[in-house]
Amino acid sequence: MSGGLSVSIARRAEAFSLDVTFEAGSGVTGIIGPSGAGKTMTLEAIAGLARPESGRIALGDDIFIDTTRRIFTAPERRRIGYVFQEARLFPHLSVAENLDYGARRRGSETGMSRVEVIDLLGLDALLDRRPHRLSGGEAQRVAIGRALLAAPRLLLMDEPLSSLDIRRRREIMPFLEALHRRLDLPILFVSHNIDEIVRLADRVLVLHGGRVAATGDVAAVLNRLDVQALILGEDGSGADPATIIEARIARHDEAHHLTELDVGGATLALSQLPLPVGSKLRIRLHARDIALATERPTALSIQNVIEAKIVELKPAGPAQIDVALAVGSSDAAITLFARITNRAAERLALAPGRQVWALIKSVALASDFGDSGRTA
């Protein structure tokens, strides 16, 4: 992979062992997994903050480490930008001086200018402040700006939103999206939050127990129930299944302040989005937010009712069952999951192949971390 990151390493830390192999090209590779999966250990090895016992790490033609050839490039020579969970700004320096520190590290390398970084991250009004006068989201934006001004060839972001509340996350996410569009370099974005990965990543790497459990397209990987169980809990029966869907904005209903999404040929309506018609986005539909009917319902406040066919019924504990549903035309069908009680399934006589109607009570928009974007 020309210009991309190639990693194949093994590392031990007390009783934990890390053994991962993957590649990451330009764009955002989301790395997700439960606590203790090895996410931070992986980033530390790439950055040169820790040495693996064996393996090889290379960025394009530059080899950072190759244990068989005894090659180890010092961290400061790797030209890697690292954004930690906490901003780690110099408290005695202003925002402008913190940014200048990053710029001094670039030496003769070219990259984004100071003006570009300040504009991209909305830092102009903050330049004279000291770190103690910044909100958590503002401090992280400054930390990202400092990393960018060092002209990195690779950007590592280790759960940069984990210490922020929902409001601060909402504030910083548009800046991260702008960063994604502007930069043409590999970005590794570590998170334990599925919605962050769904919103930002081009591809995903799932770590579990120090190993790569799955990798590939975001929706294809995170729609796997076994992967959801790994991320959300060891026992899959307790995890609430969700479906990640690639949707397209079909039209805006200005009179009712709604946006209609094309979802595999079916239509979903939700609160109006500030995006043009034709825009693509990802949404998450939770099994708990989908009810089923065996006849087309009428006179409901729930407006999102779509026709579906039952594909499979799978037990989800002693009292519940997960119903896999095929929605949309055959050439663009998607699979949804509805979680209902065993008694409801028996009373409705649900079985594979039966036609039903899915009543979608809410749409969890990845763009809002599931806290808004309610359906009509």
Side-chain angles (χ1 to χ4, degrees):
M1 184 179 296
S2 177
L5 176 69
S6 176
V7 177
S8 182
I9 56 171
R11 180 187 167 198
R12 294 192 63 85
E14 297 180 351
F16 184 81
S17 67
L18 179 75
D19 190 348
V20 296
T21 297
F22 66 92
E23 294 188 342
S26 181
V28 178
T29 297
I31 302 180
I32 192 168
S35 297
K39 303 184 296 293
T40 296
M41 284 182 67
T42 299
L43 293 198
E44 290 175 344
I46 294 169
L49 303 180
R51 294 197 187 206
E53 279 73 25
S54 63
R56 183 179 187 274
I57 300 174
L59 183 61
D61 296 328
D62 290 342
I63 300 173
F64 291 161
I65 185 167
D66 187 332
T67 56
T68 62
R69 299 167 59 186
R70 297 185 179 180
I71 295 174
F72 181 84
T73 302
E76 63 273 15
R77 295 180 55 201
R78 298 189 184 194
R79 286 185 55 201
I80 292 176
Y82 202 134
V83 180
F84 298 88
Q85 294 180 29
E86 299 81 27
R88 300 193 183 185
L89 301 176
F90 295 116
H92 61 291
L93 300 180
S94 67
V95 167
E97 290 167 334
N98 269 280
L99 294 175
D100 290 340
Y101 174 83
R104 287 196 297 272
R105 291 184 56 217
R106 74 197 301 166
S108 60
E109 302 292 344
T110 58
M112 294 181 68
S113 70
R114 189 176 188 274
V115 172
E116 285 179 297
V117 169
I118 290 172
D119 180 64
L120 179 70
L121 296 172
L123 302 178
D124 189 60
L126 309 177
L127 295 177
D128 293 331
R129 294 190 196 173
R130 293 288 176 92
H132 72 275
R133 294 182 53 216
L134 301 174
S135 70
E138 289 169 342
Q140 282 294 47
R141 280 156 49 197
V142 176
I144 293 168
R146 185 175 64 183
L148 292 180
L149 284 171
R153 294 187 301 155
L154 169 67
L155 186 61
L156 307 179
M157 307 186 79
D158 189 2
E159 300 198 50
L161 307 182
S162 64
S163 62
L164 307 180
D165 58 26
I166 289 289
R167 178 184 174 188
R168 299 305 180 192
R169 282 193 238 170
R170 286 180 179 168
E171 289 177 357
I172 197 172
M173 285 298 284
F175 294 102
L176 294 179
E177 289 181 313
L179 192 72
H180 181 190
R181 292 190 296 267
R182 173 65 177 81
L183 298 181
D184 183 25
L185 76 165
I187 302 173
L188 300 189
F189 183 89
V190 167
S191 177
H192 64 271
N193 185 304
I194 291 179
D195 287 322
E196 292 176 9
I197 299 295
V198 169
R199 180 166 176 178
L200 288 174
D202 300 299
R203 65 199 72 85
V204 65
L205 177 75
V206 180
L207 295 186
H208 187 266
R211 305 294 186 271
V212 176
T215 185
D217 174 78
V218 172
V221 170
L222 296 183
N223 279 339
R224 287 172 45 185
L225 296 186
D226 61 324
V227 169
Q228 292 185 33
L230 286 178
I231 296 171
L232 299 175
E234 296 300 322
D235 181 2
S237 65
D240 173 34
T243 305
I244 297 164
I245 299 172
E246 304 280 352
R248 181 184 63 84
I249 294 180
R251 64 181 290 268
H252 295 295
D253 181 349
E254 301 290 349
H256 298 95
H257 305 285
L258 298 174
T259 292
E260 293 185 359
L261 304 180
D262 178 4
V263 178
T267 299
L268 288 179
L270 65 163
S271 301
Q272 190 164 11
L273 300 174
L275 297 169
V277 171
S279 296
K280 294 182 179 180
L281 69 162
R282 296 186 184 121
I283 60 175
R284 289 184 75 205
L285 298 178
H286 285 272
R288 64 174 180 265
D289 290 328
I290 299 178
L292 298 179
T294 53
E295 297 179 359
R296 185 184 293 275
T298 59
L300 289 176
S301 62
I302 298 174
Q303 297 296 295
N304 284 304
V305 179
I306 56 180
E307 190 174 345
K309 182 177 289 187
I310 296 177
V311 176
E312 181 185 11
L313 293 92
K314 183 178 180 181
Q320 295 181 310
I321 193 166
D322 287 334
V323 184
L325 307 165
V327 174
S329 56
S330 58
D331 59 339
I334 59 174
T335 300
L336 300 183
F337 292 94
R339 176 164 287 184
I340 62 175
T341 64
N342 288 329
R343 184 168 67 176
E346 291 175 4
R347 287 183 174 179
L348 294 173
L350 301 185
R354 181 164 187 181
Q355 183 185 51
V356 294
W357 281 262
L359 288 65
I360 301 175
K361 293 178 282 187
S362 66
V363 174
L365 269 181
S367 59
D368 281 320
F369 299 99
D371 204 45
S372 67
R374 310 300 284 184
T375 56

